[in-house]
């Protein structure tokens, strides 16, 4: 059973809030009652990594990862595709 999610994102250019919130909202479409932590960094390459933690073993599993630009609003096709991928990856955890 999933005990929490963590969204790792880059805040170095403009804060990364848009991409962080997009990832969190996609997770909530499937896991609306599971805690989600956001962890910003200034690391390169600029990417988003979504991790799930198992409540029994506390093992970490990477659910989804991609270039952060794939969640930019200015690239709606990439953003929609990425949201769909996140939702499908989360559904596979149930």
């Amino acid at each position: 059973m999933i005990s929490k999610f963590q969204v790792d994102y880059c805040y170095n250019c403009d804060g990364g809030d848009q991409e962080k919130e997009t990832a969190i909202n996609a997770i909530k479409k499937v896991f609306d009652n599971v805690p989600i932590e956001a962890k910003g960094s200034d690391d390169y390459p600029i990417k988003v990594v979504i991790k799930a933690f198992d409540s029994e073993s506390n093992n970490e599993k990477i659910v989804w990862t991609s270039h952060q630009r794939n969640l930019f609003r200015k690239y709606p096709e990439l953003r929609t595709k990425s949201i769909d991928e996140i939702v499908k990856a989360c559904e596979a955890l149930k």
Side-chain angles (χ1 to χ4, degrees), residues 1 7 9 15 18 25 28 30 38 55 65 68 70 77 91-92:
M1 181 171 195
V7 176
Y9 68 100
Q18 174 184 184
N25 289 334
K28 286 182 177 181
V30 182
S55 59
T65 186
Q68 192 157 315
N70 291 344
E77 289 178 14
E91 287 172 342

Side-chain angles (χ1 to χ4, degrees), residues 39-94:
K39 182 179 172 191
S41 70
D42 195 20
D43 297 336
Y44 284 91
I46 298 172
K47 63 182 178 177
V48 174
V49 179
I50 298 174
K51 301 172 186 173
F53 294 84
D54 183 275
S55 59
E56 294 174 11
S57 64
N58 203 34
N59 285 337
E60 171 186 307
K61 176 181 176 147
I62 294 178
V63 177
W64 183 86
T65 186
S66 185
H67 296 286
Q68 192 157 315
R69 74 170 180 269
N70 291 344
L71 295 176
F72 291 177
R73 284 189 194 106
K74 69 180 182 179
Y75 303 127
E77 289 178 14
L78 289 174
R79 185 171 184 258
T80 299
K81 180 180 180 230
S82 295
I83 291 168
D84 290 345
E85 290 173 353
I86 295 167
V87 169
K88 286 179 186 172
C90 287
E91 287 172 342
L93 296 173
K94 283 198 154 190

Side-chain angles (χ1 to χ4, degrees), residues 6-37:
Q6 180 175 307
V7 176
D8 297 339
Y9 68 100
C10 184
Y11 58 72
N12 71 348
C13 296
D14 64 357
D17 289 336
Q18 174 184 184
E19 300 81 31
K20 172 188 73 175
E21 291 303 318
T22 299
I24 288 171
N25 289 334
I27 295 166
K28 286 182 177 181
K29 287 182 179 187
V30 182
F31 289 96
D32 60 342
N33 293 321
V34 176
I36 303 170
E37 297 177 6

